[in-house]
Amino acid sequence: MPRVIGIDPGSLSFDLFGLHRGHIFLDTSIPSDRAAKDVRVLGDLIQASGPVDLIVGPSGYGLP
């Protein structure tokens, strides 16, 4: 079973959620203004959670 992380970028926060074999290994939020100032904070969180097989993030913020 793959180790996956989903990222939900929102107006107020970036939410990260990691799942592996039905178990949550990452569940955190970062204020959007903090992520905008230094996008490396997202990469640091992902790297700190260990190796992953897939990272999923939406595109277009709900636009068609």
Side-chain angles (χ1 to χ4, degrees):
M1 176 112 350
R3 241 173 103 85
V4 298
I5 292 178
I7 303 172
D8 180 21
S11 300
L12 300 177
S13 67
F14 274 64
D15 302 323
L16 290 86
F17 184 81
L19 193 63
H20 183 240
R21 295 186 178 171
H23 298 283
I24 299 168
F25 66 88
L26 178 65
D27 186 6
T28 192
S29 292
I30 304 167
S32 292
D33 59 346
R34 180 175 174 211
K37 288 178 187 171
D38 186 5
V39 73
R40 291 176 294 185
V41 71
L42 295 171
D44 291 346
L45 280 170
I46 292 169
Q47 286 184 337
S49 66
V52 295
D53 299 302
L54 181 68
I55 299 173
V56 180
S59 63
Y61 292 92
L63 300 173

